[in-house]
Amino acid sequence: MKKYNEIPMAGNIIEPGNSKEYKTGGWRAKRPVHNDETCLWIRNGTCGKCWIYCPDNAVRLIEKDGKYFYEYDYDYCKGCGICANECPTQSIKMESE
Amino acid sequence: MTSVEKIPKDQMVVEGLTGDAAIALALKQCDIDVLAAYPITPQTIIVEDFQKFVANGEVKTKVIPVESEHSAMSACVGASAVGARVATATASAGLALMWEILYCAASMRMPIVLTVANRALSAPINIHNDWSDTYGARDSGFIQLYCQSSQEAYDTTIMAFKIAENKDILLPIMVCIDGFILSHNVERVEMLPDQAIKKFLGVRQPFQNLDPDNPITMGPLALTDYYFEFKEQQDEAIKRVPDVFKQVEAEFERMTGRSYGMLETYKTEDAEIILLTHSTPAGTAKVVVDVLRERDEKVGVLRLKMFRPFPSKEVAEAIKHAKAVAVFEKCRSFGSTCNPLALEVMASLYDLKEKPMVTDFVIGLGGRDVPPTTIVEGYEKTKEYLKQGKAPLYETLGVRK
Ligand code: SF4
Ligand code: SF4
């Protein structure tokens, strides 16, 4: 780690968007596990509440060749469980790492 | 460094000004971009006068009349972050309400000039002078300069911007005057022409500022991994203040012939007892010394100007030859061994093998008058304690007990 005189003054972040370098996945104690069967996104490309609410942009809703896919970016998913809480179809379960 | 020249006397304007009015005029001449403030006695004249300059179109400053001092300091931090030259004024409870943001201003390295008319803290409600307000903020990271006269308040306000905005410092600074005693008393003030101050200060050159074309983030999170390193940076910055202060004063002296130093000594060379204080009691102490000297008493005054950073080495050097140092301070640090000023003085002397005795007198709380007799009483007590070879850690003077 850097010394006091090797870092920007006062903690200023002088490269915009560098929070990407901070992988919050390391905080995760529980991981979201997704159930394709009941998920509205997989069934008809709607809902997406988990994607809207995830504070770390860790939900990926993918559309390819008319089909819908779903995944998490575990580099950034910090396991907060907001997605599971918001899901109207209980398609997300939080499981211990 | 800019090259300034001596300003001829005929270009100076001399006026009778209160401490507050002198500061308001200095702020006007410093061409500040933003002033955010909330009125509080005895600072009110500063902002009132400044509002008049704005209303008359004499300045281009944006004045933000906020709803509280917490907001005042917050607005100052925001304005300073975009690179503006910023000032505000407060006292007592107002300063107390700024507390949280004082630390932010210092930690975020915002060169804000905060002028303070020192006033006692509640309760009971009291509008008069003591130093409890700014002494309380002594660990906030602000530089603190205390003035004895309206002239010094004017001069110090101007120099404050140049010290604070220096790229090696970038710290906020408090310019303190005694409420009512100085803030509302009229004294002769020699004012510089606008042009001279413009040349002396220049335009603020921010080191890093908020700019939509080059976005940066200020004041983010730093936890166990980096917070300590940022505090180390801040500590290094405040340690650089004495050098920059001396440079700035030297330049100011070339222009005006006036300088004050981090501390001022008055008849201390052969003094056996040195009276140590600052702000207006220092003026009283000098008068007392003049009278005592007529009676062949070997006594002098050390008048401190800079309290943060505390010039420990210089203070120790100036008092080490004395038999005793009598500290007079307008603050009680409740529950503490002694009080803020004496604590600093004692710590400064700690390394000396032979050190003077230090007596600590709490005076003038809530604006209780500090007449020459109070200073004499402290002096006589110190003489007595010297004879006994022992002094109390602190005591109050001028209170009915
Ligand atoms: S657990 Fe939290 S961080 Fe992870 S995907 Fe769900 S909402 Fe996002
Ligand atoms: S909130 Fe639930 S149903 Fe909606 S898209 Fe996310 S996982 Fe699917």
Side-chain angles (χ1 to χ4, degrees):
Chain A
M1 276 200 279
K2 289 180 177 167
K3 293 183 186 161
Y4 80 96
N5 54 0
E6 298 168 347
I7 49 179
M9 183 185 73
N12 290 350
I13 295 170
I14 50 181
E15 302 154 46
N18 73 353
S19 61
K20 266 198 208 130
E21 289 164 31
Y22 195 57
K23 304 253 162 91
T24 44
W27 301 0
R28 199 172 56 245
K30 285 186 169 179
R31 69 163 57 205
V33 176
H34 183 252
N35 179 358
D36 277 3
E37 312 253 297
T38 50
C39 169
L40 296 168
W41 169 256
I42 298 288
R43 288 167 71 155
N44 53 24
T46 60
C47 183
K49 277 185 88 177
C50 50
W51 178 82
I52 292 168
Y53 281 97
C54 173
D56 285 285
N57 293 337
V59 172
R60 289 212 193 111
L61 303 180
I62 301 152
E63 195 184 342
K64 211 177 153 204
D65 306 329
K67 281 189 153 181
Y68 301 105
F69 304 92
Y70 188 102
E71 62 185 41
Y72 296 107
D73 184 341
Y74 287 112
D75 275 351
Y76 297 103
C77 167
K78 63 187 170 201
C80 66
I82 290 173
C83 53
N85 192 55
E86 293 299 331
C87 176
T89 59
Q90 284 81 45
S91 299
I92 303 169
K93 295 270 165 309
M94 299 302 291
E95 285 181 9
S96 285
E97 282 285 341
Chain B
M1 205 189 276
T2 47
S3 62
V4 293
E5 298 131 34
K6 173 110 187 93
I7 307 299
K9 281 274 169 204
D10 61 2
Q11 282 185 31
M12 305 272 195
V13 179
V14 176
E15 267 193 58
L17 295 173
T18 62
D20 276 357
I23 287 175
L25 281 162
L27 291 178
K28 173 187 164 194
Q29 291 187 295
C30 290
D31 195 20
I32 55 174
D33 302 303
V34 174
L35 180 132
Y38 188 84
I40 185 166
T41 302
Q43 155 283 123
T44 323
I45 309 168
I46 300 175
V47 177
E48 270 176 10
D49 279 6
F50 200 87
Q51 289 276 34
K52 272 183 221 153
F53 305 144
V54 176
N56 293 341
E58 295 172 60
V59 288
K60 290 190 285 279
T61 310
K62 172 82 189 161
V63 173
I64 312 176
V66 286
E67 77 282 9
S68 80
E69 284 85 356
H70 189 277
S71 306
M73 189 44 76
S74 300
C76 286
V77 168
S80 190
V82 299
R85 176 169 290 160
V86 184
T88 183
T90 196
S92 180
L95 185 69
L97 190 49
M98 280 182 182
W99 217 259
E100 179 193 0
I101 315 301
L102 293 179
Y103 284 75
C104 296
S107 309
M108 292 173 71
R109 310 289 296 280
M110 301 300 175
I112 298 159
V113 172
L114 167 56
T115 58
V116 182
N118 283 112
R119 164 183 157 182
L121 288 161
S122 299
I125 292 182
N126 179 300
I127 57 167
H128 291 284
N129 168 245
D130 69 36
W131 306 332
S132 310
D133 51 0
T134 51
Y135 269 12
R138 66 192 184 278
D139 294 337
S140 63
F142 269 67
I143 301 162
Q144 290 193 346
L145 301 175
Y146 291 83
C147 307
Q148 195 199 302
S149 66
S150 293
Q151 181 72 64
E152 189 180 350
Y154 172 84
D155 294 345
T156 306
T157 304
I158 296 165
M159 287 188 272
F161 288 99
K162 206 169 167 80
I163 298 163
E165 292 172 5
N166 183 296
K167 65 171 179 20
D168 292 331
I169 307 294
L170 296 172
L171 287 171
I173 185 163
M174 289 184 198
V175 177
C176 309
I177 58 173
D178 277 349
F180 288 110
I181 305 170
L182 191 58
S183 70
H184 286 60
N185 262 331
V186 175
E187 291 182 342
R188 179 190 188 278
V189 177
E190 199 177 274
M191 290 190 300
L192 290 157
D194 292 353
Q195 207 47 41
I197 296 176
K198 212 171 182 170
K199 203 168 164 205
F200 177 70
L201 287 182
V203 174
R204 181 184 161 199
Q205 304 291 342
F207 169 66
Q208 272 168 1
N209 59 314
L210 294 180
D211 169 9
D213 294 331
N214 296 292
I216 64 168
T217 301
M218 287 180 175
L221 186 77
L223 300 177
T224 49
D225 48 359
Y226 274 109
Y227 181 90
F228 207 166
E229 278 67 29
F230 294 120
K231 294 295 122 179
E232 186 76 9
Q233 286 181 347
Q234 201 182 329
D235 195 38
E236 288 298 313
I238 201 161
K239 280 196 260 180
R240 290 192 286 264
V241 169
D243 281 344
V244 171
F245 176 86
K246 281 177 208 160
Q247 284 167 26
V248 170
E249 255 213 343
E251 218 176 314
F252 190 81
E253 190 178 5
R254 275 209 299 284
M255 189 165 66
T256 61
R258 290 189 297 274
S259 75
Y260 304 91
M262 294 186 283
L263 53 88
E264 174 198 349
T265 52
Y266 185 74
K267 305 189 178 175
T268 53
E269 300 77 38
D270 63 337
E272 286 174 3
I273 295 180
I274 294 175
L275 313 176
L276 195 155
T277 186
H278 61 68
S279 302
T280 58
T284 312
K286 287 177 200 164
V287 174
V288 167
V289 160
D290 287 344
V291 174
L292 290 174
R293 283 266 169 188
E294 282 169 22
R295 294 192 221 145
D296 292 330
E297 303 274 343
K298 290 217 160 88
V299 56
V301 176
L302 186 147
R303 198 265 295 194
L304 194 73
K305 179 181 175 80
M306 186 188 287
F307 185 70
R308 278 292 179 273
F310 193 83
S312 305
K313 236 177 44 215
E314 290 80 358
V315 168
E317 193 54 40
I319 60 177
K320 65 174 191 215
H321 63 279
K323 287 188 184 151
V325 178
V327 176
F328 294 87
E329 54 188 316
K330 291 191 172 190
C331 178
R332 170 64 189 134
S333 179
F334 294 105
S336 177
T337 317
C338 53
N339 299 286
L341 184 54
L343 282 174
E344 300 286 346
V345 172
M346 287 189 200
S348 304
L349 294 171
Y350 184 78
D351 278 340
L352 299 182
K353 267 207 190 72
E354 296 252 329
K355 33 185 167 278
M357 170 187 273
V358 177
T359 54
D360 182 19
F361 300 105
V362 174
I363 55 168
L365 296 190
R368 174 65 48 86
D369 195 21
V370 181
T373 47
T374 301
I375 307 285
V376 173
E377 194 185 346
Y379 172 71
E380 293 295 346
K381 274 176 181 272
T382 303
K383 257 172 82 175
E384 193 50 41
Y385 297 145
L386 263 180
K387 255 186 240 158
Q388 296 166 8
K390 201 170 157 356
L393 281 162
Y394 78 92
E395 63 194 294
T396 50
L397 288 186
V399 63
R400 294 180 298 278
K401 56 184 174 184

